[in-house]
Amino acid sequence: MTIKKLNILLGVSGGIAAYKAPDLVRKLTATGAQVRVVLTESATQFVSPLSLQAVSGNPVSTDLLDPAAEAAMGHIELAKWADILLIAPATANCIAKLAHGLADDLLSTLYLATSAKVYLAPAMNQQMWFAAATQANLATLTQRGIQIIEPDSGEQACGDTGPGRMPEPQYLASLVTQPEAAQVLKGKRIVITAGPTREAIDPVRYISNHSSGKMGYALASAAKALGAEVTLISGPVALDTPAWVNLVKVESAQQMHQAVMLAVAETDIFIGCAAVADYRPVECVGQKIKKHNQELTLTFIKNPDILADVANLKGAPFTVGFAAETQDVSHYAKDKLQRKNLDMIAANDVSDRTIGFNSDQNALSVFWKDGEKSLAVADKGQLAMQLMLLISQNYNEKHA
Ligand code: PMT
């Protein structure tokens, strides 16, 4: 899939979520877009122009009256340059200014001067989000064709709980760069497993693997950006929950099996991206094992095969597996496709340490009954979007 080279103007206003701006710039540039950043004065208290200049590779503008910046690219020129204006985070104050047409700083002036498609990712305290004034301002902007990206819900920096968190950068990047794809999975229910499982040996020890969850979480973000209702069943990872995704946390393979079997009824698509431990210790002893002996022997028993169990359900969802291989990747992947009765399988070569486990990048060879496609090395966010589009295409063909 080729992604059109876009000029994206990222406006950052002064809220705590501004700390995510460098990551957002990285995710936007990873799609092949050109990114320029404009900061409001208060945003410079949360994130430095220098770090945004480094990640975007372009000068960062902060001041309407800066002669040097105006000489390089004047604000009207900047407004015309943009295909997309994304304001993230958009504070309540910024939203109010835009709704009322004020132009007292660079960002609000650019908003009035641009004909670009405008997206706002509001981020604020939940009470401020619910305030009648904020909701009225958002309604005004929506009527004017501005796309408001719903904030994430959860615990907030101020300690409150509710809507007002800025969605994850990967989600925002996918949403604004691929709007044409935005609805291909609308109304589809998707269950995705991600991360490792931990198999307890005693109360303080376990066996596990190097899965970081990045690939599975990127798939959840991509599926959400394409309009699906997503349930993410995750082993222990150190990642933020993607926006608007129903997260179920588990530890062991048996817990993951149980959570999947509960979630998978009425599901359209199941994707098994988790690195599920194939075996677990026969028993998890009640007390910490003492180191009296030179040798310790553990006996393992096979875990349930979650993917195969889903694929063999009566009325099974469209089932997609992953294959982590270190040799003869396509041979083993095709074997798993057939043996586990899958609709599709995405294989990665985990002998290459620069991709696969715990890396930001991956490359996939995808197989289905009468086709295959290679997805070249890319950021996991980008790759997840390509894979989700391929899955959607095959799903539609099967149900045509
Ligand atoms: O999490 P990251 O650091 O981003 O790394 C991503 C990844 C390398 C973990 C991911 O891309 C990947 O390859 N996931 C599958 C890992 C794996 O367990 O592969 P496998 O070939 O052993 O298993 C084949 C399939 O069966 C997988 O879909 C797996 O989820 C599933 N399985 C395996 C065993 C089991 N008991 N139950 C299962 O459902």
Side-chain angles (χ1 to χ4, degrees):
M1 205 193 109
T2 52
I3 295 163
K4 181 182 169 285
K5 201 160 186 134
L6 288 167
N7 289 342
I8 301 178
L9 187 56
L10 173 64
V12 182
S13 62
I16 182 74
Y19 83 91
K20 292 182 180 173
D23 190 24
L24 178 53
V25 171
R26 261 188 234 104
K27 297 289 191 295
L28 289 168
T29 50
T31 68
Q34 278 282 346
V35 180
R36 287 178 177 267
V37 185
V38 170
L39 293 174
T40 63
E41 198 188 336
S42 55
T44 62
Q45 307 283 320
F46 294 95
V47 60
S48 92
L50 203 59
S51 59
L52 289 163
Q53 180 171 318
V55 286
S56 68
N58 283 313
V60 170
S61 311
T62 54
D63 190 356
L64 184 58
L65 305 172
D66 177 354
E70 282 294 300
M73 192 188 249
H75 63 274
I76 298 295
E77 217 179 323
L78 196 53
K80 286 188 175 150
W81 170 86
D83 298 311
I84 288 172
L85 170 60
L86 166 63
I87 304 183
T91 60
N93 181 54
C94 170
I95 290 166
K97 278 208 237 180
L98 304 187
H100 291 87
L102 300 186
D104 62 350
D105 64 7
L106 181 57
L107 182 55
S108 52
T109 304
L110 284 168
Y111 165 73
L112 285 185
T114 192
S115 59
K117 169 82 185 156
V118 181
Y119 293 86
L120 293 189
M124 65 196 72
N125 163 271
Q126 52 89 25
Q127 198 67 45
M128 293 171 77
W129 167 255
F130 285 124
T134 304
Q135 291 301 318
N137 289 334
L138 289 167
T140 301
L141 292 168
T142 305
Q143 276 165 14
R144 292 182 190 150
I146 308 306
Q147 186 162 340
I148 311 295
I149 303 167
E150 286 281 317
D152 193 6
S153 207
E155 200 180 322
Q156 304 196 304
C158 56
D160 280 9
T161 302
R165 290 188 348 183
M166 190 175 97
E168 285 314 303
Q170 183 58 59
Y171 173 72
L172 295 178
S174 303
L175 193 77
V176 304
T177 56
Q178 304 209 22
E180 72 286 355
Q183 298 304 304
V184 293
L185 289 172
K186 192 168 172 58
K188 297 283 174 284
R189 280 159 300 206
I190 301 191
V191 174
I192 299 170
T193 64
T197 63
R198 286 179 181 171
E199 309 302 320
I201 295 170
D202 70 14
V204 296
R205 303 182 179 95
Y206 56 82
I207 60 158
S208 190
N209 58 63
H210 293 293
S211 170
S212 63
K214 288 177 189 168
M215 191 70 237
Y217 276 56
L219 284 168
S221 284
K224 183 68 217 164
L226 295 174
E229 278 174 41
V230 182
T231 297
L232 177 62
I233 299 176
S234 172
V237 298
L239 298 173
D240 289 337
T241 309
W244 298 106
V245 160
N246 172 29
L247 179 72
V248 181
K249 290 184 186 175
V250 297
E251 292 251 336
S252 66
Q254 284 179 301
Q255 288 170 359
M256 187 174 275
H257 184 267
Q258 199 179 14
V260 167
M261 290 305 160
L262 269 178
V264 90
E266 315 264 306
T267 289
D268 300 291
I269 298 172
F270 173 76
I271 307 173
C273 184
V276 185
D278 293 314
Y279 292 88
R280 66 179 183 277
V282 167
E283 62 162 348
C284 168
V285 294
Q287 303 300 325
K288 184 180 169 198
I289 298 171
K290 293 288 174 200
K291 27 186 191 283
H292 298 313
N293 301 324
Q294 278 305 319
E295 289 183 358
L296 173 69
T297 304
L298 295 170
T299 308
F300 291 89
I301 185 168
K302 212 161 187 190
N303 270 324
D305 190 320
I306 302 168
L307 186 64
D309 284 357
V310 171
N312 289 306
L313 283 173
K314 194 162 174 265
F318 188 86
T319 306
V320 183
F322 266 71
E325 306 295 347
T326 53
Q327 55 176 329
D328 219 350
V329 176
S330 72
H331 169 75
Y332 286 118
K334 284 177 184 166
D335 174 62
K336 274 180 189 155
L337 176 74
Q338 204 184 17
R339 196 164 33 83
K340 296 198 184 195
N341 194 22
L342 309 176
D343 292 294
M344 289 177 82
I345 194 156
N348 35 204
D349 181 352
V350 290
S351 67
D352 181 347
R353 287 301 176 101
T354 63
I355 57 171
F357 280 107
N358 201 15
S359 151
D360 287 339
Q361 298 206 312
N362 205 357
L364 296 170
S365 304
V366 191
F367 302 94
W368 56 99
K369 200 171 144 225
D370 44 17
E372 59 183 80
K373 183 162 184 173
S374 293
L375 303 178
V377 177
D379 182 270
K380 279 181 178 167
Q382 256 186 291
L383 209 56
M385 183 53 81
Q386 294 172 42
L387 180 58
M388 282 315 309
L389 290 170
L390 197 56
I391 291 172
S392 154
Q393 204 179 313
N394 274 270
Y395 171 88
N396 287 335
E397 276 169 25
K398 184 173 176 180
H399 293 89

